[in-house]
């Protein structure tokens, strides 16, 4: 029986290494193939954001994997967002209720920890510098290019978990099969990472207990704290257009751009020009596909199934939730993969589509609305309604971030609450009557029609 408990995991990023831990705990012989060198010996060479916001769904999976304590020690709580207006004024907006926070965690640190834990199981074998070239959909085989030898190898693989990210090679194989739906699109905006180094005393230069946002209409910058006293800032800007990456052509343009739009950050970033020139301008892709599986023996998890834009801070959290849900289904249905894999795909793919849509919507909120008086009024009324009717009304942000409510339900709720606020914000003088009986009545009527 044990001999038949074998699995191949393609990609040892965040989701692949976590899912390997889950499989190892179930006693599977797991072969993990990863394109990059082993970061346990070579160190982490992340090209992408070096910290990530972790929230409830991520923590739940981390806890199930038994490593919450290690990760929590280096996670920095961010109970709210700090809005930096162009005039230099700052405003703090809590994310949820007291004691609710999202956490800044190191991408490299988390991946390394997960790899170490996965590697501590004797039933896990890693193959680094092995790039998957595709999975055979006709027979249970998978092909890799071994970068250490330049040889191509084909391996038997009756059960494959593809966690090889947004440009998944395994998914490309599935895209050639009948009735596999696939859509990808790029945002007009790209992103570039910059660093706010620690102050001379080693401390953070701005409040570390917040996710900082500089909303500027069609573009924005954000910054998340790191445990070493620095912040990783990310500039999101259109690739083309009047205000765009294309218009920033030389060192003088970099300085002029920041002095004009982010004046309070210029002195926080002494290496701004070097960082700007050295760091790549990266694109942002959304991937929707369905089903996430092939014949009950190949399953896409994480970004390979549902890459999303980062504006809800949910990409990794959603990938980790895939692991929790799949593991729970195995508990309920037994390890009968030919049934569990299609059932997982059927039940859960709509949640991937929903968080992709919510993440797009949150981009507008972050870059445009957080400084808009109507939006702030809506936030105030939302908090009031949540306080008054805690079991009937939960803010969508809390549902996504601080609960495990399926994303497709959160999306339905977002649509419903948008309708509610269209009516509330149309009440005459609502700015001064925001907690009035009139608002209460609109809310009660909305509850009946929901
Ligand atoms: C700017 C930015 C900010 C983000 N912020 C957040 C945030 O705050 N919170 C959050 O939850 N999410 C965030 N995300 C999303 C998050 O980074 C991803 O959702 C997460 O990394 C997905 O994990 P994954 O393991 O599925 O894919 P990846 O992290 O992409 O890992 C894929 C792994 O597969 C390997 N691989 C790729 N191709 C092959 C191949 N052919 N063969 C073998 N191996 C291969 C790669 O080397 C890599 O190790 C952000 C993303 C971006 C771009």
């Amino acid at each position: 029986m044990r001999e038949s408990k074998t699995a191949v995991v393609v990609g040892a990023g965040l989701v692949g290494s976590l899912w390997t831990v889950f499989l190892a705990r179930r006693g599977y012989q797991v072969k993990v193939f990863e394109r990059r060198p082993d970061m346990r010996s070579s160190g982490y060479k992340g090209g992408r954001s070096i910290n990530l916001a972790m929230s409830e769904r991520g923590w739940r999976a981390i806890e199930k994997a038994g490593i919450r304590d290690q990760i929590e020690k280096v996670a920095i709580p961010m109970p709210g967002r700090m809005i930096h207006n162009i005039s230099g004024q700052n405003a703090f907006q809590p994310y949820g209720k007291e004691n609710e926070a999202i956490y800044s965690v190191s991408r490299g640190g988390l991946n390394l920890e997960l790899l170490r834990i996965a590697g501590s199981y004797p039933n896990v074998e890693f193959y680094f510098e092995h790039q998957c070239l595709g999975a055979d959909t006709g027979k249970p085989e998978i092909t890799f290019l071994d970068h250490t030898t330049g040889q191509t190898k084909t391996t038997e693989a009756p059960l494959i978990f593809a966690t090889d990210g947004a440009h998944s090679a395994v998914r490309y194989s599935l895209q050639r099969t009948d009735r596999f739906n696939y859509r990808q699109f790029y945002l007009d905006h790209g992103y570039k990472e910059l660093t706010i180094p620690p102050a001379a005393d080693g401390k953070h230069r701005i409040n570390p207990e917040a996710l900082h946002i500089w909303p500027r209409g069609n573009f924005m910058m954000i910054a998340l704290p790191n445990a070493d006293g620095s912040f990783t800032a990310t500039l999101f800007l259109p690739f083309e257009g009047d205000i765009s990456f294309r218009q920033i052509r030389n060192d003088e343009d970099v300085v002029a751009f920041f002095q004009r739009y982010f004046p309070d950050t210029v002195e926080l970033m002494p290496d701004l020009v070097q960082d700007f020139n050295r760091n790549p301008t990266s694109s942002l892709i959304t991937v929707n596909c369905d089903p996430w599986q092939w014949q009950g023996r190949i399953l896409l998890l994480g970004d390979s199934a549902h890459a999303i834009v980062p504006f809800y801070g949910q990409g990794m959290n959603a990938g980790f939730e895939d692991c929790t849900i799949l593991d729970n289904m195995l508990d309920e249905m037994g390890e009968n993969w030919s049934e569990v894999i299609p059932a997982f795909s059927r039940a859960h793919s709509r949640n991937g589509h929903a968080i992709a849509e919510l993440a797009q919507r949150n981009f507008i909120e972050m870059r445009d609305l957080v400084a808009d008086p109507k939006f702030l009024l809506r936030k105030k009324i939302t908090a009031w309604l949540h306080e008054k009717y805690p079991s009937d009304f939960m803010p969508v942000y809390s549902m996504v971030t601080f609960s495990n409510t399926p994303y497709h339900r959160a999306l339905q709720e977002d649509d419903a609450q948008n309708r509610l606020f269209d009516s509330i914000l149309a009440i005459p003088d609502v700015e001064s009557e925001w907690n009035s009986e009139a608002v209460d009545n609109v809310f009660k009527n909305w509850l009946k029609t929901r």
Side-chain angles (χ1 to χ4, degrees), residues 77-184:
M78 300 181 290
R81 48 192 175 197
M82 185 71 80
I83 306 303
H84 296 250
N85 291 320
I86 201 155
S87 61
Q89 282 172 327
N90 297 347
F92 182 80
Q93 297 172 2
Y95 276 128
K97 292 190 286 203
E98 218 183 325
N99 297 326
E100 283 181 331
I102 57 175
Y103 289 79
S104 177
V105 299
S106 148
R107 177 193 286 275
L110 179 57
N111 207 155
L112 204 58
E113 199 61 53
L114 288 168
L115 276 178
R116 286 201 184 113
I117 295 166
S120 69
Y121 285 87
N123 44 330
V124 172
E125 276 174 85
F126 283 109
Y127 298 84
F128 289 98
E129 297 178 66
H130 276 64
Q131 180 184 353
C132 176
L133 300 179
D136 197 318
T137 50
K139 48 185 186 293
E141 287 180 358
I142 190 158
T143 303
F144 296 93
L145 172 63
D146 178 348
H147 285 282
T148 60
T149 62
Q151 304 282 307
T152 300
K153 302 177 192 168
T154 296
T155 304
E156 210 187 318
L159 184 58
I160 298 170
F161 298 97
T163 49
D164 49 346
H167 301 283
S168 166
V170 178
R171 192 190 62 233
Y172 289 144
S173 303
L174 301 197
Q175 280 169 230
R176 291 191 286 271
T177 61
D178 193 31
R179 298 185 65 220
F180 185 88
N181 294 309
Y182 176 73
R183 188 167 77 114
Q184 72 171 49

Side-chain angles (χ1 to χ4, degrees), residues 10-16 33-36 48-49 52-53 107 130-132 163-165 169 191 193 284 301-304 310 313-317:
V10 184
L14 293 169
V15 176
F33 294 88
E34 165 59 47
R35 185 179 55 184
R36 292 183 298 198
R48 303 200 305 179
S49 76
L52 299 151
R107 177 193 286 275
H130 276 64
Q131 180 184 353
C132 176
T163 49
D164 49 346
Y191 71 93
E193 284 163 1
L284 292 162
L301 295 171
D303 273 18
S304 72
Q314 285 294 310
M316 167 195 63
N317 286 287

Side-chain angles (χ1 to χ4, degrees), residues 20-290:
T20 300
V21 174
F22 278 98
L23 285 172
R25 284 159 65 113
R26 288 186 173 271
Y28 280 79
Q29 287 300 135
V30 194
K31 289 185 177 174
V32 186
F33 294 88
E34 165 59 47
R35 185 179 55 184
R36 292 183 298 198
D38 185 353
M39 70 162 82
R40 291 170 302 177
S41 44
S42 67
Y44 177 68
K45 297 191 185 68
R48 303 200 305 179
S49 76
I50 63 160
N51 51 21
L52 299 151
M54 171 107 91
S55 50
E56 167 58 26
R57 296 167 208 261
W59 285 121
R60 188 163 71 138
I62 288 290
E63 190 158 317
K64 229 181 167 199
I67 54 165
R68 187 178 180 123
D69 288 351
Q70 290 101 297
I71 304 301
E72 217 165 36
K73 257 186 243 152
V74 287
I76 302 177
M78 300 181 290
R81 48 192 175 197
M82 185 71 80
I83 306 303
H84 296 250
N85 291 320
I86 201 155
S87 61
Q89 282 172 327
N90 297 347
F92 182 80
Q93 297 172 2
Y95 276 128
K97 292 190 286 203
E98 218 183 325
N99 297 326
E100 283 181 331
I102 57 175
Y103 289 79
S104 177
V105 299
S106 148
R107 177 193 286 275
L110 179 57
N111 207 155
L112 204 58
E113 199 61 53
L114 288 168
L115 276 178
R116 286 201 184 113
I117 295 166
S120 69
Y121 285 87
N123 44 330
V124 172
E125 276 174 85
F126 283 109
Y127 298 84
F128 289 98
E129 297 178 66
H130 276 64
Q131 180 184 353
C132 176
L133 300 179
D136 197 318
T137 50
K139 48 185 186 293
E141 287 180 358
I142 190 158
T143 303
F144 296 93
L145 172 63
D146 178 348
H147 285 282
T148 60
T149 62
Q151 304 282 307
T152 300
K153 302 177 192 168
T154 296
T155 304
E156 210 187 318
L159 184 58
I160 298 170
F161 298 97
T163 49
D164 49 346
H167 301 283
S168 166
V170 178
R171 192 190 62 233
Y172 289 144
S173 303
L174 301 197
Q175 280 169 230
R176 291 191 286 271
T177 61
D178 193 31
R179 298 185 65 220
F180 185 88
N181 294 309
Y182 176 73
R183 188 167 77 114
Q184 72 171 49
F185 50 93
Y186 283 95
L187 215 60
D188 292 338
H189 293 64
Y191 71 93
K192 189 182 281 287
E193 284 163 1
L194 302 164
T195 303
I196 300 176
D201 61 2
K203 295 204 175 116
H204 291 95
R205 287 176 192 241
I206 49 177
N207 182 355
E209 296 211 330
L211 189 156
H212 293 259
I213 309 181
W214 290 259
R216 296 294 181 262
N218 188 32
F219 60 100
M220 68 171 178
M221 188 160 74
I222 65 168
L224 275 74
N226 295 309
D228 65 1
S230 67
F231 274 82
T232 302
T234 312
L235 170 67
F236 296 97
L237 187 69
F239 280 105
E240 311 283 342
D242 291 343
I243 304 175
S244 66
F245 280 113
R246 185 179 279 280
Q247 299 302 329
I248 305 176
R249 298 190 186 91
N250 52 41
D251 295 357
E252 289 72 40
D253 287 350
V254 174
V255 175
F257 175 79
F258 277 81
Q259 274 171 344
R260 178 157 183 201
Y261 295 110
F262 306 107
D264 58 335
T265 66
V266 175
E267 66 174 22
L268 300 175
M269 297 195 281
D271 300 326
L272 170 64
V273 172
Q274 289 97 304
D275 274 4
F276 198 95
N277 292 333
R278 189 183 46 222
N279 294 348
T281 306
S282 306
S283 54
L284 292 162
I285 192 172
T286 298
V287 166
N288 281 162
C289 67
D290 196 34

